[in-house]
Amino acid sequence: MADISIGRIVRRGVAGTIDPRGRDDRVQFWIYFAIVLAPLIAVQMIAQVVLTFPSIDLQGAMQPDYDARAANLKMMTEMFEGMIASIYIAVAMHAVATLLLLTATARRLHDRGRSGLFALILPLAAVVTGIDQARRTEHILSMMPKLSAELAAQSGPQQPGDIFGLIAKMQPDASGASWAAIVAGLAMLVLVIELLRAGTPGPNRFGPQP
């Protein structure tokens, strides 16, 4: 019966961060994958919510001299700054996950009798996805003058959802086909399918059966 000790799995994964030699079975790999990815996703989601949801001056909105247009522009600026910061955090999280999972992926491929070099699909896909996201973000930022003009034309106070709606309208303009991202996605799909399959029985050229 497979040893599913969480402590052993974590020790094996962390100790092997710079050592792709040997083989990892499915239990070792996927539990370690979940242990690495779950907290990183949680941190990224929390940071995105905190950074992109602007503060609303409810008390100021009740004042007779409240400038709704200036408040709308201020809210939009805060949201864009938060978006940029959250993208940097996402890139950092992806880099950490790739670093921790790269050699583990190579060992899982070894268990399948495959070359560990196919694990390089992981960082390559992360880079391509990051570049595509940067392209989309750059497009949205280039549309800031248009968004500012739309907000300036509205005299009433805006809710964050209204500004998110304006940003969402700009997304289709930036969503041209990215063939590099499509190819990277397909390569990742093939890699995941391979990682889900059972290892070769008995020893293979990469070592004994785990």
Side-chain angles (χ1 to χ4, degrees):
M1 184 175 180
D3 178 6
I4 56 173
S5 164
I6 299 299
R8 184 196 68 82
I9 288 173
V10 172
R11 287 193 300 271
R12 164 70 173 169
V14 173
T17 299
I18 59 174
D19 185 5
R21 295 174 299 177
R23 299 167 59 179
D24 281 352
D25 59 21
R26 285 183 292 186
V27 173
Q28 165 68 38
F29 176 79
W30 286 109
I31 292 181
Y32 182 63
F33 179 91
I35 290 172
V36 168
L37 220 59
L40 294 179
I41 291 175
V43 169
Q44 182 179 339
M45 291 180 63
I46 292 171
Q48 187 169 358
V49 170
V50 171
L51 291 171
T52 60
F53 201 87
S55 59
I56 303 175
D57 186 7
L58 296 177
Q59 185 175 1
M62 299 175 64
Q63 302 301 320
D65 58 345
Y66 178 70
D67 189 343
R69 293 181 180 179
N72 291 341
L73 292 175
K74 180 176 181 291
M75 185 184 299
M76 182 199 67
T77 301
E78 290 179 356
M79 290 179 66
F80 271 110
E81 290 175 350
M83 286 174 59
I84 298 300
S86 65
I87 288 172
Y88 282 126
I89 291 175
V91 169
M93 295 295 100
H94 290 162
V96 171
T98 300
L99 176 65
L100 292 174
L101 294 173
L102 182 60
T103 52
T105 302
R107 291 192 298 272
R108 178 81 266 273
L109 288 167
H110 289 169
D111 192 43
R112 287 281 306 137
R114 309 294 186 191
S115 170
L117 292 176
F118 287 110
L120 293 176
I121 291 174
L122 193 63
L124 290 176
V127 169
V128 170
T129 302
I131 292 174
D132 186 61
Q133 182 61 46
R135 178 180 66 86
R136 294 171 184 273
T137 303
E138 182 181 8
H139 172 80
I140 293 176
L141 291 176
S142 70
M143 298 292 289
M144 277 192 69
K146 178 181 177 181
L147 180 58
S148 299
E150 290 192 30
L151 289 175
Q154 300 175 12
S155 58
Q158 298 296 304
Q159 299 298 320
D162 299 326
I163 300 178
F164 276 123
L166 291 175
I167 296 174
K169 291 179 182 178
M170 299 178 184
Q171 287 283 3
D173 296 333
S175 60
S178 173
W179 292 108
I182 292 172
V183 171
L186 292 174
M188 277 296 298
L189 178 61
V190 173
L191 178 62
V192 168
I193 292 173
E194 189 66 23
L195 296 174
L196 285 169
R197 300 177 67 184
T200 57
N204 64 19
R205 62 192 176 109
F206 298 106
Q209 183 174 355

